[in-house]
Amino acid sequence: MYYAIIAEDVENSLAKRLEARPDHLARLELLKQQGRLFAAGPLPAIDSEDPGPAGFTGSLVIAEFDSLEDATRWAETDPYVHAGVYKGVTVKPYKKVLP
């Protein structure tokens, strides 16, 4: 089943994000290679694909896991969590309907 992992950043997280980004992306790449990644990306702080110094307010990952517990464990071990980028992470089951 798919799970939506919705993370909210701490204030002024951009420097922490940039430092932890390579390890964060490596984990996402592994999900992609396994055919389990549906979508992933940051949530810009302003209405722009490149928010520059405004940074991001969080992230969204939608990926396939065996259970809610597995998805939660995966989310809790994200490099952004360890780097202090996220102040909170919510994991919910996700059902793809369209397209």
Side-chain angles (χ1 to χ4, degrees), residues 53-89:
F56 302 93
T57 62
S59 300
L60 171 66
V61 174
I62 301 173
E64 190 173 14
F65 293 92
D66 289 334
S67 67
L68 178 59
E69 292 78 20
D70 286 346
T72 300
R73 256 191 309 278
W74 186 90
E76 290 171 347
T77 59
D78 192 286
Y80 282 173
V81 171
H82 295 295
V85 173
Y86 295 153
K87 68 178 173 182
V89 178

